[in-house]
Amino acid sequence: MRAQSIKKRFGGVTALSGADFDLRSGEVHVLLGSNGCGKSTLCKVISGVVRPDSGTVSVKDQLMEDITPRLSRERGVGVVYQELSLIPGLSVARNILLGMEQANGLGILRDSKNGEALEEIFSDFRGLFPREFSLDTLVQGLSPDLQQLVEIMKVLARDPEILIFDEPTASLSKEQIDLFFGILERLKAKHKGIIFISHKLEEIFRVGDRITIMRGGRHVGCSDLSDITRDEIVNLMVGDIFHSEYRKSSPSGSGKELLGGCGLSGKTIRGIDFSLRQGEILGLGGLQGQGQRSFLLTLFGVEPLQEGQLRREGREVSLRSPKQAMRESLAYISGDRKKYGVFLIRSILENLFVSRVILSRVPLFRRKTLKESAGPVIRDLGLVYDTLDKPVSTLSGGNQQKVIIGRWLLNDPAVILMDDPTKGVDVKTKKDLYELMERMCQAGCSVIWNSSDDQELLQNADRVLVFREGRVIRELQGSDLNEETLYRAALGMDDPAGEGR
Ligand SMILES: Nc1ncnc2c1ncn2[C@@H]1O[C@H](COP(=O)(O)OP(=O)(O)OP(=O)(O)O)[C@@H](O)[C@H]1O
Ligand SMILES: [Mg+2]
């Protein structure tokens, strides 16, 4: 497949400014670039969802004219989009087959032929789904990671020649990612062409054959991955303004306790003691899904606290709902914007102010005042947008994430609970976020930070609580804040009895 000189503007925003891209059979071609550089738009042009202003796309040297989704599909293009596209009220099987039965002219869903093919695809994924799951389960009951796997099955079922995966791994666990990468290897062996978008450099080097780096709507470099280094990639991506060393400088946390707890147990956490001091960043580490998220959700009053006491500046408090938590100046920033984050069809402005509206007794606001008070936060975050009245869905994935962060910053929080907030965020924006957190801490806030990126955690946290099976099995600080110690603790190598502290 070859895309040449693709240009696309949305109102005042230039999404693509002459993008070139080519894909060979049997390769995984990584598409990388900062948030908003046009990756998703390029994929949508190839799949016929977005009509380019100019430029051409050809498959096997045959030009596709006036690309429609249908034409693109017929030429063998299959896409897993960044935003989930499943229909919640339909079963998994129906979602996967949707559109296929039309193409085949079949009236019946899950006829034996499709049914068998489905079962075959599903057999690879079986181990990752709960025991009670079947293909007749409704999509709405599935967590975002399982929905993402269904999206992947859906595209595999169509057996396309060209597969486009737009940040498929953002909401997947390590185990799920391993499985997905195994599937990519098999697709490669079948001479498929694969476009893979991800912001995670480890992944890129692990599965990619070639990489195209985009900046400002066009490609700025293309190379075999074996011929390029991480630093070269990052430099191409952000220009020369970026230096890869960033490190939290101040070993802070000598202030008073802002939030603390003892013996906290809840849905999946057991007997957690912690103390968060003013100005401190407390990291939550360990393998994914060991109770870190549950801990944050319990603090924020989403999951019930079954045992233990919670203290807010020394006072015993009970936070039984997010609203109560918000009244105690807690904020919750989730990286899972698909589930907890944005109201896609509402405007950027509304999304920014929704939590303030919830808190106010008389929720009457003047648009002009809101816009003015949003100004500094938007500048701090470097949000790229057309106007604040446009729906959030018009922003790139990373910019949507910034809106969620901005929403909480506008609430003047004292304690910021962050649940993997940099998921799907590019390196430059990540760095901005780290600096922002640093400034917030200097201004007297504290942060509890759950991250699936160990590097990020080690580089930014003052202390890290390592979770394993719902307990905190180790606390790391000072010289213990290194990958090896974290990894050993996470795997329970220091704690053979698994009994916790
Ligand atoms: N439908 C739309 N209407 C208006 N602007 C849009 C639309 N789709 C994309 N844009 C804008 O075009 C630019 C490119 O967006 P795109 O989604 O392609 O970025 P991306 O590289 O995929 O970023 P990310 O890594 O954040 O997902 C962004 O500034 C985005 O806000
Ligand atoms: Mg995108």
Side-chain angles (χ1 to χ4, degrees):
M1 192 271 307
R2 179 184 296 274
Q4 278 175 304
S5 319
I6 310 281
K7 293 189 179 163
K8 178 68 192 177
R9 287 173 68 98
F10 293 102
V13 177
T14 301
L16 294 173
S17 57
D20 294 321
F21 184 85
D22 77 285
L23 181 70
R24 303 172 189 152
S25 69
E27 78 165 346
V28 173
H29 194 147
V30 173
L31 195 51
L32 181 81
S34 7
N35 294 137
C37 73
K39 303 177 296 294
S40 296
T41 307
L42 178 60
C43 295
K44 286 176 186 166
V45 167
I46 295 167
S47 70
V49 171
V50 162
R51 182 173 294 255
D53 300 332
S54 62
T56 58
V57 181
S58 51
V59 174
K60 293 185 181 160
D61 288 330
Q62 262 196 311
L63 200 64
M64 286 202 282
E65 266 168 294
D66 296 326
I67 316 173
T68 59
R70 178 163 184 173
L71 175 65
S72 174
R73 224 171 22 238
E74 284 168 3
R75 295 290 184 87
V77 178
V79 195
V80 173
Y81 293 103
Q82 191 171 13
E83 309 302 335
L84 294 174
S85 70
L86 302 174
I87 301 175
L90 293 183
S91 72
V92 169
R94 289 200 71 175
N95 263 290
I96 294 178
L97 296 175
L98 206 66
M100 278 169 72
E101 71 284 329
Q102 282 165 12
N104 296 345
L106 292 174
I108 316 156
L109 301 168
R110 296 198 70 187
D111 72 309
S112 57
K113 190 158 150 271
N114 278 337
E116 265 167 40
L118 251 188
E119 289 292 345
E120 197 187 316
I121 290 164
F122 180 56
S123 62
D124 285 339
F125 292 80
R126 175 85 262 181
L128 298 175
F129 282 81
R131 193 181 291 273
E132 65 276 13
F133 173 89
S134 85
L135 288 170
D136 296 318
T137 306
L138 295 188
V139 159
Q140 62 199 13
L142 300 178
S143 55
D145 53 331
L146 295 181
Q147 291 193 24
Q148 184 68 55
L149 294 179
V150 174
E151 294 274 5
I152 294 171
M153 288 192 259
K154 182 172 165 180
V155 76
L156 295 178
R158 284 154 178 73
D159 196 29
E161 288 289 291
I162 295 166
L163 295 100
I164 303 178
F165 294 100
D166 194 350
E167 286 194 53
T169 58
S171 60
L172 298 185
S173 69
K174 291 202 170 81
E175 192 191 5
Q176 292 165 332
I177 291 173
D178 285 343
L179 177 120
F180 173 64
F181 286 174
I183 290 172
L184 286 190
E185 288 302 327
R186 267 182 281 159
L187 291 169
K188 262 169 70 169
K190 290 204 257 172
H191 310 293
K192 310 277 185 187
I194 297 155
I195 302 177
F196 176 63
I197 299 179
S198 165
H199 289 291
K200 301 184 209 167
L201 290 175
E202 313 79 60
E203 289 188 350
I204 290 168
F205 277 100
R206 194 170 143 199
V207 293
D209 298 303
R210 274 201 301 160
I211 181 167
T212 287
I213 298 132
M214 289 180 69
R215 187 166 76 224
R218 55 196 310 271
H219 87 287
V220 289
C222 179
S223 164
D224 283 343
L225 272 158
S226 50
D227 296 338
I228 193 167
T229 66
R230 290 168 84 104
D231 278 347
E232 284 166 346
I233 289 178
V234 171
N235 283 337
L236 276 172
M237 209 179 128
V238 294
D240 47 12
I241 43 166
F242 186 79
H243 306 284
S244 65
E245 304 96 49
Y246 36 87
R247 187 159 199 117
K248 191 168 151 50
S249 47
S250 62
S252 49
S254 50
K256 64 178 178 196
E257 180 186 270
L258 285 191
L259 191 69
C262 63
L264 303 179
S265 295
K267 207 166 154 197
T268 55
I269 53 172
R270 290 284 163 271
I272 292 177
D273 299 335
F274 81 101
S275 173
L276 175 73
R277 292 183 291 266
Q278 190 162 31
E280 187 179 41
I281 295 181
L282 181 62
L284 309 181
L287 301 177
Q288 279 183 269
Q290 301 295 310
Q292 298 95 329
R293 169 162 304 156
S294 202
F295 176 55
L296 292 179
L297 290 175
T298 308
L299 293 179
F300 201 57
V302 178
E303 290 186 5
L305 180 64
Q306 289 159 358
E307 268 173 61
Q309 282 88 43
L310 204 58
R311 302 179 301 269
R312 173 81 175 91
E313 293 195 39
R315 279 174 298 119
E316 193 172 313
V317 287
S318 98
L319 305 177
R320 278 194 229 91
S321 69
K323 199 162 171 176
Q324 281 177 343
M326 284 155 73
R327 292 228 164 91
E328 291 290 346
S329 304
L330 267 62
Y332 177 81
I333 296 175
S334 168
D336 223 326
R337 60 175 179 276
K338 286 168 193 166
K339 188 166 178 197
Y340 303 107
V342 287
F343 303 95
L344 277 175
I345 59 164
R346 311 298 298 207
S347 71
I348 301 170
L349 194 71
E350 287 172 304
N351 269 281
L352 278 171
F353 283 97
V354 59
S355 54
R356 192 180 285 187
V357 169
I358 289 170
L359 275 186
S360 61
R361 287 181 207 289
V362 189
L364 284 177
F365 299 94
R366 293 184 55 207
R367 193 168 280 270
K368 187 157 171 280
T369 325
L370 289 186
K371 282 188 177 166
E372 277 164 15
S373 56
V377 169
I378 288 174
R379 263 197 306 283
D380 269 357
L381 290 168
L383 188 75
V384 180
Y385 62 100
D386 192 7
T387 75
L388 290 180
D389 300 314
K390 284 267 171 78
V392 156
S393 57
T394 62
L395 297 179
S396 79
N399 278 301
Q400 292 181 14
Q401 189 62 23
K402 290 182 186 176
V403 170
I404 300 177
I405 295 167
R407 170 192 304 164
W408 291 107
L409 299 187
L410 282 164
N411 250 14
D412 271 336
V415 176
I416 307 173
L417 310 173
M418 301 208 295
D419 191 1
D420 225 354
T422 59
K423 207 181 255 183
V425 170
D426 68 64
V427 235
K428 167 72 170 53
T429 310
K430 274 186 188 167
K431 186 168 167 278
D432 292 346
L433 179 70
Y434 302 154
E435 285 169 4
L436 185 71
M437 287 305 138
E438 188 76 49
R439 286 203 299 279
M440 300 285 291
C441 285
Q442 271 158 16
C445 290
S446 303
V447 177
I448 304 184
W449 190 328
N450 173 33
S451 173
S452 57
D453 180 342
D454 294 343
Q455 278 301 331
E456 158 179 291
L457 212 54
L458 293 167
Q459 287 178 339
N460 291 286
D462 298 298
R463 286 184 292 144
V464 171
L465 304 179
V466 185
F467 276 68
R468 185 169 169 79
E469 291 168 2
R471 295 170 186 277
V472 173
I473 53 163
R474 182 115 196 238
E475 179 179 321
L476 307 178
Q477 54 181 322
S479 59
D480 278 343
L481 285 174
N482 63 64
E483 257 177 305
E484 194 192 336
T485 318
L486 175 63
Y487 199 57
R488 288 182 67 93
L491 294 175
M493 289 157 75
D494 300 336
D495 183 40
E499 286 296 312
R501 284 192 295 166

